[in-house]
Amino acid sequence: MPVIIPADSVGLVSPQTLHIDTPITLDCGRTLASYDLVYETYGKLNTDKSNAVLICHALSGDHHAAGYHDMDDKKPGWWDTAIGPGKAIDTNYFFVVSLNNLGGCKGSTGPTSINPETGKIYGPDFPIVTVSDWVESQSVLADHLAIQQWAAVVGGSLGGMQAMQWAISQPERLRHALIIAAAPKLSAQNIAFNEVARTAIKSDPDFHDGHYTAHNTLPRHGLGLARMLGHITYLSDVAMGEKFGRALRNDTINYGYDVDFQIESYLRYQSENFVDRFDANTYLLMTKALDYFDPAKEFNDDLTATMAQIKAKCLVVSFSTDWRFSPERSNEIVNAMLNAGTDVTYAEIEAHQGHDAFLMSIGRYIDIFQTYMQKIAAEDGDS
Amino acid sequence: MPVIIPADSVGLVSPQTLHIDTPITLDCGRTLASYDLVYETYGKLNTDKSNAVLICHALSGDHHAAGYHDMDDKKPGWWDTAIGPGKAIDTNYFFVVSLNNLGGCKGSTGPTSINPETGKIYGPDFPIVTVSDWVESQSVLADHLAIQQWAAVVGGSLGGMQAMQWAISQPERLRHALIIAAAPKLSAQNIAFNEVARTAIKSDPDFHDGHYTAHNTLPRHGLGLARMLGHITYLSDVAMGEKFGRALRNDTINYGYDVDFQIESYLRYQSENFVDRFDANTYLLMTKALDYFDPAKEFNDDLTATMAQIKAKCLVVSFSTDWRFSPERSNEIVNAMLNAGTDVTYAEIEAHQGHDAFLMSIGRYIDIFQTYMQKIAAEDGDS
């Protein structure tokens, strides 16, 4: 049965592809002679091109942030709670740009793309891409769209890190950065979880050192394990407890090694669902981009000096039960910004949903988000 | 170079094996006609047999809790910080019994043992053993040692759950239960981590449905992954940060998928070290024993009614940064005990080491532990 598209949806949308022939040299030292970026836009760019908002996606996200690709879609884009007419990022006012990042697996050039130099897919030979590289490639997309300055760059989690990096390394090209559920760099524990995920993928015999496509296989078990583990870190203990508790899948325990508890079924389902829609080499790449993110490194590990680069105004948001990037990590960002004299607004949202809260329709969060975006629109109207 | 055995060590110790021919019927419904329990003892049983302390081990522990097996041992037993002459569990006074649990892989009957009915190793056909089953088999060991009543049953983590179960199901057979870094049952998040570990083991092609010995293989990758993940949950974010931070193994990042950070090397080392000394089927069994532990289930999920069974006095200890079994989980135990009228002492220890703190020499923890044990000794002297 086709969906009935809600009135506050951006409606049916189609991705576009920008082919870029200007070479990009990445942080790792390698150069891509050409590359594609797939993106979607919602709303209309105004005549003075002052209403553009860039959405940056997280680890497993893509360009499809809002609306529907066709009438048979069961679900809208991944941030449809926040983007649409009358929503926090109001497409009646803003022109929203959402892309699949370089190194992704949903259409932008990445490990699943053909390497024009060899005629074969890149696979594991695709270079590691950093958050800075993404900002660089996103600025090429901005140039193409003739957007000299974003009204705002917005993202959650790894997306929030991109918004932060934009504000630090391209200070003239954005007026606002919205940094949601992020951290100034990963902790040892964050890196440890990523390393377990990578080890799971790499030790799957179907991984073949990343050349699984050539072997007509997929590292399903390894990628599935990585996703299961990811899910645990995205949810809070409280949220998992409320959703599943110790509920059994059947009435009794099995006294065996099959699924006993509903939480186990849920994780299995999530992982099986994921391996069919995501590329393992891209997953590895994304986790390394996370691990490597550390903008203060260029500034002698001085986070205040780093934030002193920023000219944009910032909104930083964290969630009380997020233990992946906890409120303490947002405090580090905010304290450095305050020391650096950045114009920053901070909100810690009480929410039991853990890290995933940034994707959800949580009253106070959406209120603050919307109010902040309305302020941007009003500033723009004044100028 | 041989070790110099410290003066406060129990010194050189030798395990003993008790062969039991009285059948045991397990919670799963299956019966073992006979089984072995390997154990060590430290100190001397007094004439009225009132000074015996039972040590219960956690997931990957064994009977070797204190002292050295030979002069070439690099490390003493796993709880040598707490057991020895003049230590918290003072072997100058107490007679300490420490066994490898049924289902273990260090000498007691378990998946690596020969099934007398088939002449082949049990492997995955070994029945799942519960915490209640362990208490039952430990009480057979107590009978054999002519210990009618333990002065104390002591354990951390899964070991603390055994101490709790003893107090609930054999109330006359212990005077004290020391329940350290435990929980009254696992949360959905706890179960989720166990399920990821199990999935890692079971999806390793070298696992062969648990029959890896028959195939002359070992599920090294799967068991290693389980151990890596376990380690993350044993340490706090703070402790990992202090120990490793974002320190690199070499001077620069690789822009590749090999080890960049020291935390990654550490986890790899821990996992490689573990797979040579632990059995994968036993690991699965232990995680299920954890998942199934829920003593209140027999009492209509009423934890107070459960604790009302207890006649022993209890010491409950938690650690501030333990996020595997957090202080909140110990509070659940303590609150139910208080409601039930149990004589309970509770201490939450400020410690940055996370769950592993229970194995460490942390001042206030050891002080409280020692004071409590001295009180037991004094009571015993009075009687």
Side-chain angles (χ1 to χ4, degrees), chain A residues 34-350:
Chain A
S34 66
Y35 56 100
D36 289 348
L37 293 177
V38 168
Y39 65 99
E40 294 181 0
T41 67
Y42 323 116
K44 281 188 181 161
L45 188 60
N46 61 12
T47 45
D48 59 358
K49 301 181 169 61
S50 63
N51 68 335
V53 171
L54 176 68
I55 305 296
C56 302
H57 69 70
L59 199 152
S60 62
D62 57 30
H63 52 284
H64 185 40
Y68 298 83
H69 280 162
D70 63 58
M71 295 301 285
D72 293 329
D73 279 0
K74 292 198 181 91
K75 285 196 302 188
W78 57 269
W79 217 1
D80 202 81
T81 49
I83 304 165
K87 293 185 182 172
I89 302 177
D90 187 348
T91 50
N92 287 329
Y93 181 79
F94 290 108
F95 174 66
V96 179
V97 179
S98 175
L99 81 162
N100 185 212
N101 276 340
L102 193 60
C105 54
K106 299 299 172 79
S108 291
T109 299
T112 58
S113 308
I114 302 291
N115 179 349
E117 288 176 25
T118 64
K120 295 179 182 166
I121 73 157
Y122 281 102
D125 302 324
F126 195 82
I128 285 187
V129 178
T130 65
V131 171
S132 288
D133 293 329
W134 284 331
V135 170
E136 188 62 32
S137 55
Q138 288 159 359
S139 75
V140 175
L141 175 61
D143 293 343
H144 166 77
L145 297 169
I147 296 161
Q148 183 51 39
Q149 188 182 57
W150 299 103
V153 179
V154 184
S157 192
L158 179 55
M161 294 171 179
Q162 293 163 60
M164 194 191 310
Q165 189 71 57
W166 262 99
I168 294 163
S169 51
Q170 308 250 12
E172 306 289 352
R173 292 203 74 174
L174 68 167
R175 293 196 296 285
H176 293 269
L178 279 72
I179 301 162
I180 304 170
K185 61 185 176 190
L186 264 62
S187 70
Q189 189 189 70
N190 294 146
I191 295 172
F193 276 118
N194 281 344
E195 175 64 5
V196 175
R198 283 190 293 266
T199 303
I201 292 169
K202 293 192 302 178
S203 65
D204 186 327
D206 287 332
F207 182 64
H208 295 289
D209 290 327
H211 298 284
Y212 40 86
T213 309
H215 285 80
N216 255 317
T217 59
L218 274 182
R220 299 185 71 85
H221 288 305
L223 185 57
L225 272 170
R227 182 62 168 180
M228 284 173 86
L229 184 55
H231 254 282
I232 300 178
T233 69
Y234 304 152
L235 297 178
S236 69
D237 193 14
V238 179
M240 247 188 205
E242 284 179 4
K243 200 164 174 181
F244 304 103
R246 296 178 52 87
L248 295 167
R249 194 175 58 163
N250 301 313
D251 285 343
T252 54
I253 58 175
N254 298 318
Y255 292 110
Y257 297 114
D258 278 338
V259 161
D260 281 298
F261 297 95
Q262 281 181 11
I263 178 65
E264 299 170 295
S265 306
Y266 170 79
L267 289 175
R268 287 193 191 187
Y269 172 80
Q270 288 293 339
S271 80
E272 280 162 22
N273 184 270
F274 186 68
V275 296
D276 290 321
R277 65 180 177 86
F278 210 82
D279 176 60
N281 285 317
T282 289
Y283 200 92
L284 293 178
L285 181 151
M286 293 283 168
T287 63
K288 278 289 181 183
L290 274 163
D291 288 2
Y292 288 168
F293 178 70
D294 185 6
K297 215 175 171 186
E298 273 186 75
F299 299 92
N300 273 320
D301 291 319
D302 180 341
L303 195 59
T304 299
T306 311
M307 297 306 184
Q309 309 303 309
I310 296 177
K311 296 190 174 171
K313 294 175 185 173
C314 297
L315 173 67
V316 177
V317 179
S318 69
F319 299 92
S320 56
T321 58
D322 182 353
W323 62 278
R324 184 177 172 87
F325 301 133
S326 69
E328 289 71 31
R329 310 307 311 279
S330 283
N331 283 336
E332 293 172 36
I333 297 168
V334 171
N335 291 341
M337 284 181 171
L338 290 173
N339 289 336
T342 312
D343 183 335
V344 56
T345 303
Y346 176 53
E348 180 182 331
I349 307 294
E350 280 295 322

Side-chain angles (χ1 to χ4, degrees), chain B residues 13 16 18 20 22 30 52 63 66 77 102 126 152 198 208 212 218 237 239-240 264 283 307 326 332 360 367:
Chain B
V13 295
Q16 296 169 261
L18 172 65
I20 300 156
T22 312
R30 288 175 58 190
H63 52 285
L102 193 60
F126 195 82
R198 283 190 293 267
H208 295 289
Y212 40 87
L218 275 181
D237 193 13
M240 246 188 208
E264 298 169 295
Y283 200 93
M307 296 307 183
S326 70
E332 292 173 37
M360 296 182 187
D367 283 352

